[in-house]
Amino acid sequence: MALPLVDTHCHLDFEDFGAERGAIIDRGRAQGIRWFVTIGSGRGAESADAAVALSHEHADVLATVGVHPHDASAATDAVMTAMHKLALDPRVVAIGEVGLDYHYDHSPRAVQQEAFRAFVRLAREVRKPIVIHTRSAPADTLAILREEQARDVGGVIHCFTEDEAFAKSALDLGFDISFSGIVTFKNSESLRSVAKVVPHDRLLIETDSPYLAPMPMRGKRNEPSFLPHTAKHLAGTLSLEEEQLRRLTTNNAIRRFGLDRFGATEV
Ligand SMILES: [Zn+2]
Ligand SMILES: [Zn+2]
């Protein structure tokens, strides 16, 4: 029996899964996903409520809460008050995904920056790690993490697509590096070279489902049961046995999200 995996970033609340949600969680379990971290951020402010509710329905699902940079304009005072309350829920293991996305610019940059700062402060207040989404905004992301003293709680750079210099800065700031299915894509050679320099005790994997299905599922709707493809591929990239890759990423996830509080034991 292969060692278990942790999907450190999936969006189980998304409509894409609809009535199949329960079956999808079961399929993940059948493929060895022992824990699911469902991200309460991504479809407006409602994702947070939905993610927390899912984490209370399933013993192996834990939640994060936040407002995605795309929706930063929705992070009003009332929403931040609601987020604060949700963040205290014991089944909420991190704040996120929050950050900056200057590729799509769905919210004005100044608004994204303000929301990002507010969530870093919230994370420090509730003493929970931060799940960062960053795209085309490396300098501002690092500057805000430094200025807001994010190192106090650390966290994860999710769906990592930046370069080696960014990875090193993020690691120094206490952020682990999480790879999605992108690392399996043919044209991701430069990303694979970054993966090789990430210390083994700082490496995580995720699906970011329903997006970014790994090879050979690329193009399909992604789901947690596809995570073993990413594990296998990344093990090959790092010249590790798949079991070693599973062991280190699972143990890193348990530590990062404090999953021992829910009965997780390192493998
Ligand atoms: Zn993201
Ligand atoms: Zn995401």
Side-chain angles (χ1 to χ4, degrees), residues 9 68 97 133 158 208:
H9 192 113
H68 196 282
E97 61 187 284
H133 171 107
H158 112 85
D208 203 12

Side-chain angles (χ1 to χ4, degrees), residues 133-199:
H133 171 107
T134 182
R135 188 151 181 210
S136 306
D140 285 359
T141 299
L142 293 172
I144 289 175
L145 291 176
R146 284 195 189 101
E147 287 163 23
E148 298 296 339
Q149 300 164 56
R151 196 198 305 263
D152 280 2
V153 288
V156 179
I157 308 293
H158 112 85
C159 192
F160 191 87
T161 50
E162 299 295 327
D163 61 10
E164 189 178 327
F166 184 97
K168 286 191 167 147
S169 300
L171 287 161
D172 285 347
L173 284 165
F175 284 78
D176 299 339
I177 307 294
S178 180
F179 291 98
S180 70
I182 293 178
V183 80
T184 73
F185 296 171
K186 207 172 179 173
N187 57 0
S188 294
E189 211 39 67
S190 59
L191 190 57
R192 284 188 282 277
S193 65
V194 177
K196 289 176 191 165
V197 302
V198 175

Side-chain angles (χ1 to χ4, degrees), residues 1-5 22-36 60 223-226 228 246:
M1 188 56 185
L3 290 173
L5 291 169
I24 283 164
I25 294 171
D26 279 339
R27 281 208 288 275
R29 291 171 180 144
Q31 290 303 315
I33 312 303
R34 177 63 188 86
W35 301 94
F36 306 78
D60 49 1
E223 60 176 64
S225 69
F226 295 173
R246 284 176 175 248

Side-chain angles (χ1 to χ4, degrees), residues 63-77:
T64 71
V65 297
V67 171
H68 196 282
H70 290 341
D71 306 316
S73 305
T76 58
D77 287 351

